[in-house]
């Protein structure tokens, strides 16, 4: 019996500990049975105080780690090779040779050996839950059962590629304003520390009183110079407290809800979450998953606990016989387009294709929003800085 240290999440909360099992596979099975979503699993070496594996992405044989984008590339490569007629084991061997010493190569090599030993592909993938989640495994199982593994891998690759593109746009939309805001704060700091005091000295030499706006800026600058350490401590405490609050189930739920209801950016957040939800639901439905399970899984990967909870309540009504579009009508935060397309899909029996179209619509809208943000942020910052300078001069 060996001991394994694990880190993960259970019921939305972080958890960690040690579990004893005969091997790694049994440890994963035991923890999955306890509802733990694994992020890290490493065997405890009785001769050492630590282990060589760590991080959210498991290191498989070096300092590098397998990233989500690596899994997407692997999925695309496997789909292409299987469509070209490669047997599964040979396709895995081919992929592993692309990087003979990297962590991906070691993982893919393990998968290849598992296939040669007679295990199903989905069973082999289940040994790496930190990379291949429930949706991924469900679609692989469906592909194995229906003899359409290449098609399922292609759909998974398309879904992951679209999600990564959406995530990149979201990061771009959030990062650029943050950088501009940081530059503006630095510029204001320099102004308060050097420029405004010089204006004050100049007015004193002239025997004139400072203009009201300039006096206000000077007072703010003096306060910041005197109490800068206390200000930093207060900001750190507030930030740490907020972070701790958002890690609780109730805090994360309320924070996700507030993000969706915020002016200006709330609509973008909704479109981002709904695009992921619709794309995942559409992919699962086209892969043969029933509607309740498809939307339940899609809600879980939407990236927003509030939307996930809305979907759970709606699906509870669906189990009682209510159409999903009607069940979602009590949640005004869900876009009308989504509800109408679900209603059309339920009437025509084409919910999957309808969800794919919803995802395409919101993908296009998020691209337009990001483009708009980057085009207006610079003029806005210039106007703001001009207003501050005007307060000093006037």
């Amino acid at each position: 019996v060996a001991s394994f240290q694990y880190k993960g999440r259970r019921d939305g909360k972080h958890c960690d500990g040690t579990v004893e099992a005969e091997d790694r596979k049994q440890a994963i099975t035991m923890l999955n049975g306890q509802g733990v979503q694994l992020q890290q699993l490493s065997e405890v070496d009785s001769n050492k105080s630590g282990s060589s594996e760590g991080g959210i992405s498991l290191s498989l044989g070096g300092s590098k780690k397998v990233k989500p984008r690596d899994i997407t590339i692997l999925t695309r490569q496997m789909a292409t090779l299987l469509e070209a007629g490669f047997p599964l084991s040979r396709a895995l061997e081919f992929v592993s040779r692309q990087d003979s010493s990297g962590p991906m190569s070691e993982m893919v090599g393990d998968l290849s050996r598992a296939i040669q030993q007679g295990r199903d592909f989905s069973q082999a993938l289940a040994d790496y839950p930190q990379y291949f989640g429930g949706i991924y495994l469900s679609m692989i199982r469906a592909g194995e059962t229906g003899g359409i593994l290449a098609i399922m891998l292609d759909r998974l690759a398309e879904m992951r590629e679209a999600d990564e593109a959406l995530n990149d746009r979201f990061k771009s939309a959030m990062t650029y304003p943050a950088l501009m805001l940081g530059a503006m704060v630095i510029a204001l700091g320099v102004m308060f520390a050097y420029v405004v005091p010089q204006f004050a000295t100049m007015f004193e030499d002239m025997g004139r009183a400072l203009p009201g706006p300039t006096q206000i800026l000077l007072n703010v600058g003096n306060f910041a110079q005197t109490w800068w350490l206390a200000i930093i401590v207060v900001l750190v405490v507030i930030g740490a407290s907020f972070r701790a609050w958002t890690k609780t189930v109730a805090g994360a739920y309320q924070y996700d809800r507030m993000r969706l209801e915020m002016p200006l950016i709330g609509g973008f957040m909704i479109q981002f979450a709904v695009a992921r939800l619709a794309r995942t639901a559409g992919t699962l439905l086209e892969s043969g998953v029933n509607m309740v399970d498809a939307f339940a899984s899609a809600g879980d990967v939407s990236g927003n606990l509030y939307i996930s909870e809305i979907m759970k309540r709606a699906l509870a009504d669906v189990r009682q016989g209510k159409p999903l579009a009607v069940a979602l009508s009590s949640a005004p935060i869900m876009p009308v387009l989504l509800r109408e397309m679900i209603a059309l899909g339920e009437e025509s029996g084409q919910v999957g294709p309808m969800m794919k179209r919803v995802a395409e619509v919101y993908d296009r809208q998020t691209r337009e929003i990001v483009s708009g943000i980057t085009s207006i942020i610079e003029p806005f910052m210039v106007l703001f800085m001009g207003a501050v300078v005007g307060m000093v001069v006037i």
Side-chain angles (χ1 to χ4, degrees), residues 359-376:
E360 291 173 1
V361 169
Y362 286 123
D363 278 344
R364 184 167 58 252
Q365 290 186 3
T366 55
R367 284 195 297 268
E368 293 172 355
I369 290 173
V370 171
S371 177
I373 289 175
T374 55
S375 63
I376 68 172

Side-chain angles (χ1 to χ4, degrees), residues 9 12-13 237-259 305:
R9 298 186 70 82
K13 298 181 179 179
V237 170
I238 292 175
S241 300
F242 179 77
R243 183 176 177 81
W245 175 67
T246 57
K247 286 185 175 296
T248 65
V249 176
Y253 175 84
Q254 292 297 331
Y255 177 57
D256 282 351
R257 179 174 183 173
M258 286 190 301
R259 288 195 300 168
L305 287 178

Side-chain angles (χ1 to χ4, degrees), residues 333-345:
I333 203 166
M334 302 299 281
V336 175
L337 175 63
L338 176 68
R339 300 200 300 266
E340 292 296 331
M341 294 293 274
I342 290 176
L344 290 173

